[in-house]
């Protein structure tokens, strides 16, 4: 039994994760900033049932504080509805970037997007510079669209107009975007 939760509030510089896994009589908890080294704590609880009970209590506590279920990365194992929702959010983000209109609707879309697609943004988040151009947004949309085609084992990504396409694993897609910038 395991979970991965994220809490994102780009305006207040929050982009963190929390995960827990019950293994035997242990509950292994990890937390930290998305994209950075996790802190780990192992709770030794004497039985699997106690580990599961502690797991459920901690998950409920985190969710009550605004954490949301996610996955460590966007890959082919994500649900089609998550991928499509992420693409819809990118459409809203694209419109805001194109019009340089970074109001509340942009911030809400960005926060929700980052909950679906956990993305390392560094230690100081400037929500108004996460996507600087529509080309940046389009590139991310292209990566997400590639996840919608019949579960490919790998996708072709052009890193720049001058480079040759390279094959990357689907698990590397969310990290690939940030190297592109």
């Amino acid at each position: 039994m395991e979970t991965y939760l994220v809490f994102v509030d780009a305006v207040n510089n929050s982009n963190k994760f929390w995960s827990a896994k019950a293994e035997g009589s242990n509950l292994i908890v990890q937390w930290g900033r998305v994209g950075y080294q996790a802190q780990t704590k192992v709770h030794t609880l004497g039985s699997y049932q106690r580990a599961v009970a502690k797991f459920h209590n901690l998950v409920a506590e985190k969710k009550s504080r605004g954490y949301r279920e996610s996955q460590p990365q966007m890959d082919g194992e994500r649900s089609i509805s998550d991928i499509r929702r992420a693409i819809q959010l990118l459409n809203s983000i694209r419109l805001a970037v194109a019009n340089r209109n970074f109001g509340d609707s942009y911030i809400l879309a960005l926060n929700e997007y980052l909950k679906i697609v956990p993305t390392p943004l560094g230690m100081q988040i400037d929500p108004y510079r996460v996507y600087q151009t529509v080309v940046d947004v389009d590139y991310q949309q292209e990566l997400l669209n590639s996840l919608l085609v019949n579960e490919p084992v790998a996708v072709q990504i052009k890193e720049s107009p001058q480079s040759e396409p390279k094959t990357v694993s689907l698990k590397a897609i969310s990290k690939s975007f940030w190297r592109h910038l």
Side-chain angles (χ1 to χ4, degrees):
M1 170 170 290
E2 64 185 293
T3 192
Y4 184 86
L5 307 174
V6 293
F7 180 84
V8 179
D9 182 350
V11 170
N12 291 310
N13 198 37
S14 189
N15 185 26
K16 52 191 175 179
F17 73 92
W18 182 89
S19 67
K21 183 176 186 178
E23 286 185 343
S25 62
N26 293 327
L27 178 62
I28 303 160
V29 178
Q30 293 189 312
W31 68 94
R33 195 161 184 86
V34 171
Y36 287 82
Q37 183 67 36
Q39 295 183 54
T40 302
K41 182 173 184 177
V42 178
H43 300 270
T44 303
L45 299 160
S47 73
Y48 181 71
Q49 290 77 15
R50 287 183 183 164
V52 168
K54 177 98 173 166
F55 171 91
H56 288 299
N57 287 339
L58 290 175
V59 167
E61 179 184 320
K62 289 295 180 183
K63 286 183 175 181
S64 74
R65 292 183 182 172
Y67 281 77
R68 176 185 161 175
E69 290 184 31
S70 189
Q71 290 181 344
Q73 52 212 359
M74 181 59 87
D75 61 22
E77 295 177 21
R78 289 302 291 261
S79 73
I80 297 298
S81 62
D82 277 350
I83 296 168
R84 287 190 174 138
R85 179 65 182 142
I87 291 169
Q88 287 174 338
L89 291 164
L90 280 175
N91 287 332
S92 297
I93 291 167
R94 186 183 196 286
L95 185 61
V97 170
N99 295 322
R100 309 307 293 166
N101 180 7
F102 300 110
D104 290 344
S105 62
Y106 166 78
I107 295 297
L108 290 172
L110 179 63
N111 283 339
E112 189 175 346
Y113 176 78
L114 293 172
K115 289 173 186 174
I116 298 170
V117 184
T119 306
L121 297 176
M123 294 304 284
Q124 293 295 317
I125 302 169
D126 181 352
Y128 310 105
R129 295 180 53 84
V130 171
Y131 292 102
Q132 296 189 25
T133 68
V134 293
V135 172
D136 298 336
V137 179
D138 291 345
Y139 182 78
Q140 188 69 8
Q141 276 189 316
E142 183 181 316
L143 295 175
L144 290 173
N145 281 326
S146 71
L147 294 175
L148 293 176
V149 294
N150 299 335
E151 303 179 37
V153 175
V155 295
Q156 296 289 315
I157 298 174
K158 274 191 119 167
E159 291 186 348
S160 70
Q162 297 82 19
S163 68
E164 290 297 313
K166 85 175 196 180
T167 302
V168 296
S169 72
L170 291 175
K171 295 191 183 237
I173 284 180
S174 66
K175 291 180 184 175
S176 171
F177 171 73
W178 297 104
R179 285 191 297 257
H180 171 72
L181 297 177

